[in-house]
Amino acid sequence: MSLTLQPVTESDIPSLSELWYKSFSIPINLLMFPNTPGIRAWWNEANGHDLLHNPHRKYLKVVDPVPVPGAVVAYAKWDLDPQHSGARFPEWHAESHRETCDLVFTVLDEEKRTFFGERRFYYLDMLVVDPAYRGRGAAAMLIQWGCELADQEGVPVYLDAHIDAAPMYRRFGFNDREDKVVTSEGAVSMIREPETK
């Protein structure tokens, strides 16, 4: 049986937080979001609120029916209207390193707003893959979902990738922003213009 793409459900939310820490435990992330019960509860609440109450934000998961049926091995958070979907995150948790969170995410959000102005775009907010499933097509399924929808709507797609993941996104037609250098945190902003069939 192969990997399958499905909508995230409310019961999946704790699995998303678990997968985030399994996949993204690099120093800058753990500085901003220490792996504590309080921060995990914050992640669960933030994702759960978006899933249930924000129609612009779409959560998708990839599941592997073997060996654990329904186990989430990858997920993506797509924002289909970033200019009108509200704040990307709720107020930072008390255990977060607020200054670093503000510095990193304020800069990234301002870059998007400045670059697009009033032009509509999609934002691939989050793409997380279990390290054991990298290279098995899970990321491709999640990226392709949003790219195909963006092509149908005729809108570009934007993302901020870790520099190590940039080559994967280039295979889907993303290009580095020529006017933006890699940040000190190793993030590179990329854009994909819609493709016409």
Side-chain angles (χ1 to χ4, degrees), residues 141-179:
M141 296 167 74
L142 294 162
I143 297 167
Q144 196 65 36
W145 180 90
C147 289
E148 288 180 357
L149 189 61
D151 288 346
Q152 293 172 21
E153 297 287 325
V155 297
V157 177
Y158 193 88
L159 58 82
D160 297 296
H162 189 275
I163 192 167
D164 292 340
M168 173 186 68
Y169 291 112
R170 291 187 189 111
R171 292 198 297 271
F172 289 87
F174 287 88
N175 295 297
D176 300 14
R177 273 184 54 185
E178 295 180 358
D179 62 326

Side-chain angles (χ1 to χ4, degrees), residues 47-65:
N47 286 324
H49 181 273
D50 276 349
L51 177 70
L52 297 174
H53 304 292
N54 195 322
H56 302 299
R57 293 177 177 155
K58 305 299 180 187
Y59 285 78
L60 299 155
K61 65 183 177 181
V62 175
V63 299
D64 184 359

Side-chain angles (χ1 to χ4, degrees), residues 6-14 16 43-61 75-78:
Q6 300 174 11
V8 167
T9 65
E10 189 175 4
S11 64
D12 294 319
I13 293 297
L16 305 190
W43 274 118
N44 291 345
E45 184 178 344
N47 286 324
H49 181 273
D50 276 349
L51 177 70
L52 297 174
H53 304 292
N54 195 322
H56 302 299
R57 293 177 177 155
K58 305 299 180 187
Y59 285 78
L60 299 155
K61 65 183 177 181
Y75 78 91
K77 175 184 175 184
W78 280 92

Side-chain angles (χ1 to χ4, degrees), residues 46-123:
N47 286 324
H49 181 273
D50 276 349
L51 177 70
L52 297 174
H53 304 292
N54 195 322
H56 302 299
R57 293 177 177 155
K58 305 299 180 187
Y59 285 78
L60 299 155
K61 65 183 177 181
V62 175
V63 299
D64 184 359
V66 181
V68 181
V72 179
V73 300
Y75 78 91
K77 175 184 175 184
W78 280 92
D79 192 333
L80 306 186
D81 193 359
Q83 291 105 324
H84 301 100
S85 59
R88 185 174 173 192
F89 296 107
E91 182 179 349
W92 305 123
H93 189 274
E95 295 175 288
S96 293
H97 196 277
R98 298 183 181 202
E99 294 81 5
T100 304
C101 290
D102 283 339
L103 177 65
V104 170
F105 293 108
T106 298
V107 168
L108 293 177
D109 289 344
E110 288 177 354
E111 284 285 343
K112 290 194 298 288
R113 283 195 297 271
T114 301
F115 185 78
F116 283 102
E118 296 300 314
R119 185 185 179 200
R120 186 179 170 214
F121 68 100
Y122 287 179
Y123 181 55

